[in-house]
Each structure stands twice: as C-alpha cells, then as structure tokens.
Amino acid sequence: MKKVLIVGAGFSGAVIANTLANTGNYLIDVVDERNHIGGNCHTERDPLTNVMVHKYGPHIFHTSNEKVWKYINLFGVFKPFINRVKSIYKGQVYSMPINLHTINQFYGKSFGPSEAKRWIESQGDSTINDPKTFEEQAKKFVGEKLYKAFFYGYTKKQWGTEPQNLPASILKRLPVRFNYDDNYYNDTYQGIPKDGYTAIIQKMLDHPNVKISLGYRFLGEKEDVGEYHHVFYTGPIDAYFSFRYGRLGYRTVYFKEYRADGDYQGNAVINFADEEIPYTRVHEHKHFTPWENHSETIYFEEYSKETESSDIPYYPKRLEIDMNILKLYESEVTNLNKVTFLGRLATYRYLDMHHIIEEALDSAEKFLELDSHK
Ligand SMILES: Cc1cc2nc3c(=O)[nH]c(=O)nc-3n(C[C@H](O)[C@H](O)[C@H](O)COP(=O)(O)OP(=O)(O)OC[C@H]3O[C@@H](n4cnc5c(N)ncnc54)[C@H](O)[C@@H]3O)c2cc1C
C-alpha cells in the first residue's frame, strides 16, 4: 500500500483521507498541530453549560450543491437551521440582511416592495458611476444613511481600516432584499450537525487505514517526507516555505467568553454596527441547537484585529501586496510534484465549508485518476 501524508485535520484533510482510504490502496497519516481534529470547524461541549460550542466562531452549513449536501449527510445528522441575524445600531434592533422590514423600520415607513425599491434607488448616490472602493460601492447601492448605519462601523471594525481603503469587490451585489426574507443565506440546503462538526470529521477519519497524530507540527519544506508517496498540505502556504517572501496578510478574530442563566440575547448572532462598540458581534451558541434544552447559556463577544505571528490566521486580506507575495509562493508550488496544496490556508482564500468539501473531493478524484496511471 502507498503511504500518504495529510497535514491538517480540518474538512480539507478529512475529505481527502476519507476518499483515499475508501479505495483500500493507501495507508494514510493525518497530522495536526492542534490537540483536536476538526480544524476551524471544531465543536465541543462546554463542560459548565453542556452547550455545543463552535470553538473558532459560529459555523452554519449552507450549500446549493446537491453532491456536497448528500456527501456531508453520509457522516452525520443535520438538523434544519436558518440563520437569522440581527443588527443593533444606535440602540435599535434591525433585521439583517437589509430587507423590507429593516428599510421600513429605519425610515419609519410602511413601503411595499416596489415603493421600497424606488426609495432605495433614490437614496443611492447617482454621482458614483464607477465605484472603486467599498465605501463608493455601498453608497451607490444604498445611499449615505444606510451605509453609515449598517456598513461603515461594522466594516471598519472588521477590517481595521476606513472602508474607503477597501476594494469595491468586497460588496459585489446589492446587499438589500425587497421582501421580508431574513434568511441570511440564499442556499437550497442549510443546517447544523446534531452532534457538532467534530463528530462528522471524526466519522470521516474513522478508517483502519487512517492514523491520526495530534500535536504534531509539520515543518513544511524542511520536513523529510521521503517515506511518503504523496503529501496533501492544508496549512498556510507562506509557512510551508518558512515565510521566505514575507507573510501573507490576514485579519484574525478573538472571543471574550461569558456565561449566564437562561437566555442572554434570544438569538444565535447579533451584529453591533456602532463604531464605538469595540466588538463586531455576539454569538450565543445554544441558539444553534434549538432542539436542545439548556437552563444556562454561554456567549461570546467577537473582536477583530491584525494577525500577529502567534495568532490564528482567519480572513485573508488579499491586498495587492499579498497577492504579489502569493504569486511567488505559488510559483514554488509548481516545482513540487508530490505535494498538493489545498484548503483555505494553503490557497490563501476565504472558503466556506461547502466550497472546501467540493474542492477536496475534486482534488482527491484528480489525484486518484493520475495515480492510477503510475
Ligand atoms: C469566523 C469564521 C466563521 C466561519 N463561518 C462559516 C460558516 O458559517 N459556514 C461555512 O460554510 N464556513 C464558515 N467558515 C469557513 C470555514 O471555517 C472553512 O471553510 C474551513 O474551516 C476550512 O477548512 P480547512 O480544512 O481548509 O482549514 P482549517 O479548518 O483551518 O484546517 C487546517 C488545519 O491544519 C492544521 N495545520 C496548519 N498548519 C499545520 C502544520 N504546519 N502542521 C500541522 N497542522 C497544521 C491546523 O491546525 C488546522 O487544524 C468560517 C470561517 C471563519 C474564520
């Protein structure tokens, strides 16, 4: 049997491990520097409240890709969950994403859909023809007032810079709905795994040909991988090459944890749009499992900041300077014929779980096809 090494036990690594193991032709070592599997989707029960906590921030599974949905459902039970986010601005609670309810409440109106559409169009800044920045794009779409309320402070806190310094591409489409649909996602399928994401990933890795080593830090190009037929690497691309062209820019988030009796905020996620409030949102995790009963609660304030070398990289900034550095690393990758780079960190992209799973399934399929000719 051929030996394969997989670096990282998140969804990327687990999908590869599962697909290769099922062929019966590979012996697979999965290593992760953390002391748990699951990567950033890791969930575990809080010992004090027994609430299932998403340790690296709230994760809602959503996809319109039927193949991915069927695949993920092989590994656990998904309970229906609709993400309905609220946003607090100047002491008022609004419905997100901006919809007819938000517009009517914000402007003190009772518009129907077409009146609201005309109204929003009249608010948009018609002098902006070719928006270059996030600020211009938002003002063109929704006008100064809604921009200031729901985009300015939140975005500034999230990215640590004035929205006029961010590219327009962050806000591609009109972020407004002219009906009362407050489902945060537009996808066909949406849910939360009954027993958490780590149980799903555990099931993917549960195979006699898969060996997992936790607390193992892979050293990138410095590591001797001579015994392996192939390596799948899901860690940061710049770390693999010991940062020799510099570090890629990321924003990171950190959480302040609180517990209380009963229900703290009555919803899973509430955004805080005011610039003066230092956190971006509060998540209360028992609301991600409405089918469970908990008399106590645990909730987290989420703060955003620049990533330092000891922080977990979360959101790739992908500024011009980063993209130039990325090109240098990518050209090195093309010289490595027995290492596949995949996942959010190795490709330096923000990817949802369903994208990750789709790409990992494709990557495994391509690898197996090529390997069958060797
Ligand atoms: C705050 C936040 C909220 C999110 N919410 C959602 C959501 O609601 N819905 C959704 O679909 N997606 C969401 N995502 C995206 C989701 O987290 C990613 O799609 C997913 O985690 C990517 O999986 P991965 O396996 O590529 O990477 P990771 O989960 O990051 O796994 C990589 C693993 O590699 C390990 N590793 C790295 N380097 C090394 C090394 N040198 N040696 C050993 N191990 C190493 C790491 O420890 C990690 O466990 C969210 C992301 C963030 C940041």
Side-chain angles (χ1 to χ4, degrees):
M1 272 203 260
K2 296 172 181 172
K3 282 195 85 178
V4 165
L5 174 66
I6 298 176
V7 181
F11 265 117
S12 297
V15 170
I16 298 284
N18 183 268
T19 313
L20 266 54
N22 285 340
T23 66
N25 297 330
Y26 299 91
L27 272 183
I28 299 152
D29 285 340
V30 178
V31 299
D32 202 298
E33 63 185 344
R34 294 177 180 170
N35 61 6
H36 59 75
I37 59 166
N40 269 12
C41 304
H42 174 54
T43 44
E44 64 185 39
R45 287 209 182 266
D46 171 42
L48 297 179
T49 60
N50 203 35
V51 169
M52 186 65 87
V53 168
H54 303 201
K55 287 304 269 190
Y56 299 89
H59 278 71
I60 297 111
F61 199 94
H62 57 97
T63 185
S64 295
N65 182 323
E66 203 173 334
K67 182 179 166 195
V68 168
W69 182 243
K70 278 193 178 146
Y71 175 78
I72 196 72
N73 275 274
L74 296 174
F75 303 98
V77 173
F78 274 77
K79 299 284 260 181
F81 180 85
I82 304 286
N83 198 23
R84 299 188 199 282
V85 177
K86 308 289 171 217
S87 183
I88 297 187
Y89 175 65
K90 294 210 186 302
Q92 290 267 326
V93 184
Y94 295 94
S95 170
M96 286 284 119
I98 298 174
N99 60 64
L100 201 45
H101 200 160
T102 328
I103 296 166
N104 280 332
Q105 186 189 356
F106 188 77
Y107 287 108
K109 306 279 186 192
S110 50
F111 290 140
S114 28
E115 283 169 302
K117 193 159 186 280
R118 279 198 296 277
W119 173 261
I120 292 297
E121 276 163 10
S122 75
Q123 299 295 302
D125 188 339
S126 56
T127 63
I128 304 170
N129 291 320
D130 180 23
K132 294 268 186 304
T133 67
F134 178 94
E135 178 168 298
E136 286 174 355
Q137 182 83 321
K139 281 185 177 170
K140 181 178 159 70
F141 277 150
V142 299
E144 176 80 19
K145 282 191 180 151
L146 280 178
Y147 164 67
K148 277 281 182 211
F150 298 115
F151 296 97
Y152 176 76
Y154 192 86
T155 308
K156 189 172 168 186
K157 288 189 283 187
Q158 199 178 20
W159 291 99
T161 184
E162 288 291 332
Q164 66 190 23
N165 300 328
L166 294 167
S169 57
I170 295 185
L171 202 63
K172 285 187 201 102
R173 281 168 292 135
L174 176 64
V176 175
R177 292 181 188 156
F178 297 106
N179 55 30
Y180 288 97
D181 179 7
D182 63 351
N183 179 352
Y184 201 77
Y185 299 111
N186 290 314
D187 282 318
T188 316
Y189 308 105
Q190 193 174 166
I192 299 262
K194 188 173 143 283
D195 299 316
Y197 292 99
T198 300
I200 298 244
I201 289 179
Q202 180 66 60
K203 195 155 181 210
M204 288 179 163
L205 295 172
D206 213 359
H207 192 284
N209 290 359
V210 176
K211 188 177 130 228
I212 306 167
S213 303
L214 297 177
Y216 183 99
R217 172 155 236 227
F218 176 80
L219 299 175
E221 62 181 352
K222 293 193 186 126
E223 185 106 9
D224 179 4
V225 290
E227 66 174 301
Y228 294 104
H229 170 66
H230 199 83
V231 178
F232 290 88
Y233 176 77
T234 75
I237 186 169
D238 51 0
Y240 185 95
F241 297 104
S242 312
F243 307 101
R244 70 164 158 274
Y245 300 120
R247 281 177 188 273
L248 293 167
Y250 280 92
R251 291 290 284 175
T252 193
V253 290
Y254 66 97
F255 309 109
K256 285 190 187 165
E257 172 183 305
Y258 302 89
R259 288 183 185 78
D261 283 334
D263 191 352
Y264 172 67
Q265 64 178 10
N267 200 39
V269 181
I270 297 191
N271 291 348
F272 288 81
D274 294 279
E275 192 187 349
E276 301 74 34
I277 294 178
Y279 42 89
T280 51
R281 55 183 186 165
V282 171
H283 15 105
E284 186 176 5
H285 291 216
K286 74 176 184 178
H287 293 298
F288 290 119
T289 55
W291 56 90
E292 294 182 2
N293 282 317
H294 298 279
S295 56
E296 292 161 307
T297 193
I298 177 166
Y299 62 95
F300 300 85
E301 289 169 358
E302 179 172 320
Y303 297 78
S304 184
K305 73 175 194 70
E306 277 307 281
T307 306
E308 288 159 44
S309 55
S310 58
D311 293 323
I312 300 170
Y314 269 94
Y315 294 103
K317 288 167 78 174
R318 295 175 69 87
L319 301 177
E320 204 180 330
I321 179 171
D322 300 310
M323 300 316 280
N324 290 335
I325 295 175
L326 180 64
K327 272 189 207 133
L328 297 171
Y329 289 126
E330 282 176 343
S331 67
E332 298 263 358
V333 169
T334 54
N335 301 326
L336 302 172
N337 52 19
K338 80 168 200 180
V339 188
T340 301
F341 285 63
L342 83 157
R344 64 179 199 98
L345 295 165
T347 63
Y348 190 58
R349 286 174 301 158
Y350 177 86
L351 295 166
D352 275 326
M353 291 179 276
H354 62 106
H355 293 130
I356 288 284
I357 291 167
E358 186 182 2
E359 290 194 3
L361 285 171
D362 285 350
S363 177
E365 215 172 276
K366 272 191 203 121
F367 168 78
L368 290 174
E369 167 64 19
L370 284 173
D371 210 39
S372 67
H373 301 301
K374 279 187 184 164

